[in-house]
Amino acid sequence: MSYSYIFYRATQSILLLLLATVVVFLILRLAPGDPALLLLGDQTSPEGLAQLRKVMGLDRPLPEQYLNYLSRLLRGDFGTSIRAQRPVLTYVGYRLPASLQLLAATLAFAILLGLPIGIIAAVRHRSLVDYSVMTVSLLGQSVPAFWLGLMLIVVFSVHLRLLPPSGRGGLAHLIMPSFTLGFYLLGLVSRLTRSEMLEVLSADYVRTARAKGLAERIVVAKHALRNALLPVVTVLGLQAGALLGGAVVTETVFSWPGIGSLAVQAVYQRDYPVVQGIVLLSATMFVLVNFLVDVMYLYLDPRIAYR
Amino acid sequence: MGRDKGFLVRAIAPLAILILAVALSSAYSGPSTRRPELTLGFSVDPVTADPRFSSNIPGQSIQRHGYEPLINHDRSGKLIPVLATSWKMINPTTLEFKLRRGVKFHNGEDFTAESVKYTIESIIAPDSKSPNKQALLDIAKIESPDPYTVRLITHQPSRPLLRNLTFWPIGMLPPKAAQELGPKLSSVGIGTGAYKLVEFIPGERAVFEAYDGYWGKKPSYARITFKIIRENGPRAAALEAGDVMMINNVPPDEMARINANPNLRVIARPTARIMFVAAAMRKPIMQNVKFRQALNVAINRSAIVNSILRKTTEVARSPIPAMVWGSVQMAPPAYNVARARQLLKDAGYQGEPIEFLVPNGRYLLDKQIGEAIAGYFQKAGVNVKINLVEWGQFASAVFGKSGTWDLSLFGWGMVTFDPDWLFRPMFHSKYNLTGYKNEKLDSLIDAGRTTFDERKAMASYKEIQQLLWDQVPYLFLYNQPQIDAINKKLKGYEPMPDEFMYFAGTTLE
């Protein structure tokens, strides 16, 4: 039963990815701008431009260009970056570890801190702890990343000289970017955990658990948390997919060489193959994470029986 | 408990001793005569290590530390020999170079005529995607009568070709390694420069190490690292934190804050990039010279230079920047709203809408300056509509000739230090972007381009500049400033007028 569900979801995912290639291909080419022109910069000569366009195959009709792209893609060829003149896979591959590293640190920060905070706030509902936790998490969700990032740089790099201001290197380089990115997620996770916990804690079965004399710790950790976690896991899955390619602001502020900022630069330079590669990669990640989240549901809530 | 503590001490003590030992040994690791390391913060990524494919000057500046051209120009535009020791015209279509002997590439390959032939042929090949190609389009073929002589044979006489070779100084490649490596050359980088590329991570950093087999002055740094920091704020913070010794692209409103720091200094200089408003001849009113003259005197250029650009540059006194060969300095158009109104009336202007296309984020403060200019036009009574667009869209509309516009704000870098670099693509009716047609101008441009007599070329160029000043096909504004900031420990750094940044000649205190 769950196997057929997994098969159904897998097929759906592949169709979704195919659709993504069509959409990104068309959007890029329908937007104004010409990669040959941007490669030449503003010192363009008409002869040079015409020659370059022809070499790059930009003078062919769109359907032909798309089919070329798709057939190469199916053979595992993601194309060559127009700017960097190197295969998209290795070009983006350089950046992917940085993105994954930042994502992992951010998720760890948000989960390890956000879950306990949310649980405590729910258990100590309407106490001073609850209010201060909620204020901090509201702050986390409302402070813009570029501002927070710059303030961290000013305080910890320029004045205190404790942490490196930018770039990727050791663990010290990871602290400020993952805090900046994780602070938002922390707010989201803790608020969501708190509200879900509050709801679950007032449910009948929790009252029953308490009534049969279980220790409060077991009631909270075993009975309540497991049910409260469902929406939190969903949101984290969605956020992880979005953050992989979408941490543009944080990546930019800290010069963190991830794929989000690379995608933005590639769009500005109309480096079609790179944009297509990154979108496809992010879409794959997104689809994969959601697929895994759905599978995880089966474990978290055995009642979910997919047909 | 006591036993637990004892265990902890036993576990930590050896570790602490080890750390201390490592710290001490690294502190005494080298003699004090070791060459220093230099780290710089750049706003732009070189994207590739292959000099044939770079398309921005900061990126080319980074590559320039590993690669060398045949010839280059100095601060005043004078040609200087690099890998070529001398050059001469054998006949009007043959340019001969004598090459430097005993030069070795970083991989041990010898630099010979074959290297030059391979490099240039790979750029001008029909299937080449090199943006440098346009500078070399005049070349028909390349001959090498002996290993240290190269002859460039052109389709027609081309005086600018020599200077075009200094366009984003075209770095010479080792033919054997280049053919073996193929596209991998975009991440490896093997040149003849004073520094060799040892690590290149796009968007992150490029690291060079001293090349001790260099033919010229021995490199002064053990290592030069270019860190890519795109955002202005974090780049300035990296300089302030002492992480980097120099940053480029400082916004004018940050200058005072950086200069207030006793360790730092802002260096602002006008470059050889002329900024202007181009006028398209689409509408009849735009073809009226009185209308264009009205626009020309409606702009308060000194206010733009003093207030928006904070005196980092000067109002243009010619279409050709003063440091470029052939420039004739003239009086800038005098700001006069009353005269602009009178000229508009004389031109018979009826309030036709004028579309003003302005790029957002390509040039220093382009949006603010475009808005200010639109304001001046409105003040004089011109019905101007400003259209702010991102650079890709701007380039398509203007250089790709796919958009409708009447005025557009952009700039042109005189990177070859030859007036032809501006005149032919911008004003010759066969090539220009605006549809402007002036037969006298065309013939003067052709004359300047095909003569090898610099005095004759100069006479043509003098006439062209006067004509452009009077007929106003473009409204010339100012020279684009370059604003860098350095840590005062860095000595001897001076930006080049062609916006190149080269650190081989600098020292660290």
Side-chain angles (χ1 to χ4, degrees), chain B residues 73 97 170 174 209 233 244 254 274 340 368 419-420 434 481 508:
Chain B
H73 45 235
F97 290 95
I170 294 162
E209 269 175 13
V244 298
E254 290 263 319
I274 178 81
Q368 289 84 340
D420 185 67
T434 57
L508 261 190

Side-chain angles (χ1 to χ4, degrees), chain A residues 39-109:
Chain A
L39 186 63
L40 292 173
D42 46 7
Q43 314 284 358
T44 312
S45 78
E47 307 103 299
L49 180 64
Q51 279 200 17
L52 192 60
R53 266 206 188 115
K54 211 173 155 196
V55 171
M56 291 166 71
L58 295 167
D59 53 346
R60 314 247 167 73
L62 274 189
E64 191 190 325
Q65 286 188 43
Y66 177 73
L67 287 179
N68 274 340
Y69 163 62
L70 195 66
S71 78
R72 276 197 304 258
L73 194 64
L74 290 175
R75 277 175 276 145
D77 177 5
F78 282 70
T80 305
S81 161
I82 292 172
R83 283 267 155 171
Q85 289 298 315
R86 62 167 80 184
V88 168
L89 220 51
T90 53
Y91 192 43
V92 176
Y94 258 124
R95 301 276 199 127
L96 193 60
S99 273
L100 291 175
Q101 191 187 14
L102 182 60
L103 180 67
T106 301
L107 284 179
F109 174 76

Side-chain angles (χ1 to χ4, degrees), chain B residues 3-284:
Chain B
R3 238 172 64 193
D4 278 352
K5 259 186 199 160
F7 169 75
L8 213 64
V9 170
R10 274 199 298 278
I12 288 175
L15 204 69
I17 290 169
L18 192 72
I19 291 172
L20 200 70
V22 169
L24 284 175
S25 71
S26 65
Y28 288 101
S29 65
S32 56
T33 51
R34 254 184 71 172
R35 284 179 290 188
E37 297 189 0
L38 181 65
T39 307
L40 313 144
F42 268 44
S43 61
V44 179
D45 188 6
V47 187
T48 163
D50 188 334
R52 291 172 296 182
F53 295 106
S54 60
S55 49
N56 64 69
I57 295 179
Q60 257 286 3
S61 301
I62 294 174
Q63 292 179 354
R64 177 72 180 82
H65 290 78
Y67 284 102
E68 288 178 307
L70 287 180
I71 53 170
N72 205 349
H73 45 235
D74 68 4
R75 203 167 298 286
S76 63
K78 204 183 115 210
L79 292 174
I80 44 175
V82 185
L83 288 178
T85 49
S86 66
W87 50 91
K88 63 169 187 255
M89 296 301 305
I90 298 186
N91 61 52
T93 55
T94 308
L95 173 59
E96 186 184 90
F97 290 95
K98 290 283 180 204
L99 305 181
R100 194 174 294 281
R101 285 159 195 262
V103 176
K104 273 190 190 305
F105 284 98
H106 300 150
N107 65 345
E109 237 175 275
D110 284 322
F111 167 75
T112 65
E114 275 311 300
S115 325
V116 182
K117 198 162 180 285
Y118 169 78
T119 305
I120 293 180
E121 278 174 353
S122 71
I123 291 172
I124 60 174
D127 62 344
S128 143
K129 294 182 196 168
S130 168
N132 289 332
K133 198 181 199 171
Q134 51 187 335
L136 306 177
L137 282 174
D138 283 338
I139 300 173
K141 69 176 174 185
I142 304 148
E143 284 172 0
S144 49
D146 69 72
Y148 294 98
T149 307
V150 168
R151 287 184 188 146
L152 303 182
I153 293 143
T154 57
H155 295 290
Q156 69 265 347
S158 169
R159 190 187 44 77
L161 175 66
L162 186 61
R163 284 183 176 275
N164 281 2
L165 286 167
T166 67
F167 165 65
W168 292 340
I170 294 162
M172 292 298 141
L173 300 164
K176 239 193 268 160
Q179 276 154 343
E180 272 166 28
L181 287 167
K184 279 197 191 130
L185 207 62
S186 61
S187 52
V188 183
I190 305 165
T192 59
Y195 292 88
K196 58 174 186 246
L197 187 68
V198 290
E199 187 188 30
F200 172 50
I201 305 173
E204 200 174 327
R205 62 178 177 266
V207 183
F208 290 86
E209 269 175 13
Y211 170 47
D212 286 315
Y214 184 56
W215 58 268
K217 194 173 161 276
K218 290 285 167 265
S220 51
Y221 298 106
R223 196 179 253 263
I224 302 182
T225 302
F226 294 90
K227 279 195 176 181
I228 312 304
I229 310 172
R230 289 181 176 272
E231 276 304 281
N232 292 333
R235 200 166 55 251
L239 182 75
E240 287 168 87
D243 216 37
V244 298
M245 285 293 123
M246 173 269 177
I247 56 170
N248 72 334
N249 272 2
V250 176
D253 55 359
E254 290 263 319
M255 295 193 323
R257 199 175 60 82
I258 292 176
N259 268 334
N261 185 327
N263 301 324
L264 311 177
R265 186 163 66 93
V266 171
I267 303 178
R269 300 265 188 282
T271 66
R273 184 182 295 273
I274 178 81
M275 298 297 297
F276 43 70
V277 174
M281 302 294 144
R282 203 161 53 93
K283 291 182 182 150

Side-chain angles (χ1 to χ4, degrees), chain B residues 262-342:
Chain B
N263 301 324
L264 311 177
R265 186 163 66 93
V266 171
I267 303 178
R269 300 265 188 282
T271 66
R273 184 182 295 273
I274 178 81
M275 298 297 297
F276 43 70
V277 174
M281 302 294 144
R282 203 161 53 93
K283 291 182 182 150
I285 189 69
M286 294 296 299
Q287 292 162 17
N288 189 322
V289 65
K290 289 218 166 86
F291 180 72
R292 299 195 304 268
Q293 285 166 342
L295 297 177
N296 209 20
V297 296
I299 304 172
N300 186 348
R301 290 169 171 78
S302 36
I304 291 174
V305 165
N306 293 337
S307 312
I308 304 180
L309 294 169
R310 315 237 171 164
K311 300 184 180 160
T312 51
T313 184
E314 284 161 14
V315 171
R317 306 180 72 88
S318 161
I320 303 296
M323 64 285 260
V324 174
W325 172 79
S327 171
V328 177
Q329 299 288 290
M330 295 170 279
Y335 171 56
N336 188 334
V337 184
R339 179 139 187 272
R341 290 216 175 96
Q342 185 58 48

Side-chain angles (χ1 to χ4, degrees), chain B residues 456-476:
Chain B
K456 268 192 199 157
M458 182 71 197
S460 297
Y461 291 154
K462 191 175 173 188
E463 221 176 313
I464 292 171
Q465 288 169 69
Q466 190 63 53
L467 196 150
L468 295 176
W469 223 234
D470 299 338
Q471 296 295 313
V472 203
Y474 278 22
L475 289 61
F476 297 96

